[in-house]
Amino acid sequence: MALCAAEAISQLQDRSSARRRSAAKRLRKLGDPSAGPALLEALKNEVRDSRTWETQYQMTMALGTCGSLSDLSYLRDLVLRRETLHAVHSAGGDAIVRLSYMEHSHTEAIRWCLSTGNETVVGGALQAVAMLRLVLDQETVTNVLDFVESRSPHDGIYFWPAVAAAGWTGQRVHDFLTVCVSGPRSDVVEAATNSLAGNYGTYRPL
């Protein structure tokens, strides 16, 4: 039987990393704001151990669905730390956009992620954009595509903007997707083909 929110919150303190991870995944799915404070404290403890990257990822993603704007300061600090794990950079970018979206300030959040210059943080942010099906203003779309197109088409950062672009408009977007369709990565080709057809596809983050 699936854990209820209270049980999952309690399990965040379990000695087993696998059980803590399972609890975080359950809370991520539930999206219960009452779990936010417990998730924040659990994440602060978890990031001390570099061996538990999967658990850290799920806790960060769960904070994105259960947390509040007050958690943004910690998340931004976390993704800027040199020692923060790759997986947490990705989840952090996603969570920052999701929490900002609650207050309709996702545009600023996306630009902040771009300003870090960290491809993994930006990739996470664009993952959230795609999953939330956010329609961005033309200036933000231009900023995103400027960042992405300055990287190699072999780079995985092309994938989530290719998915998200299903909800964007303009010649620049069409040109970007056209390039993606003829690119070297099959996952990006599929995403871009779907977007050109106005279809977001059925992609899901881990």
Side-chain angles (χ1 to χ4, degrees), residues 84-96:
T84 295
L85 301 176
H86 181 89
V88 180
H89 280 140
S90 175
D94 185 291
I96 287 168

Side-chain angles (χ1 to χ4, degrees), residues 108-121:
E108 187 276 332
I110 294 164
R111 290 177 177 171
W112 184 87
C113 290
L114 290 169
S115 75
T116 69
N118 185 318
E119 291 185 23
T120 311
V121 173

Side-chain angles (χ1 to χ4, degrees), residues 35 133 135 188:
R133 301 190 176 187
V135 178
V188 176

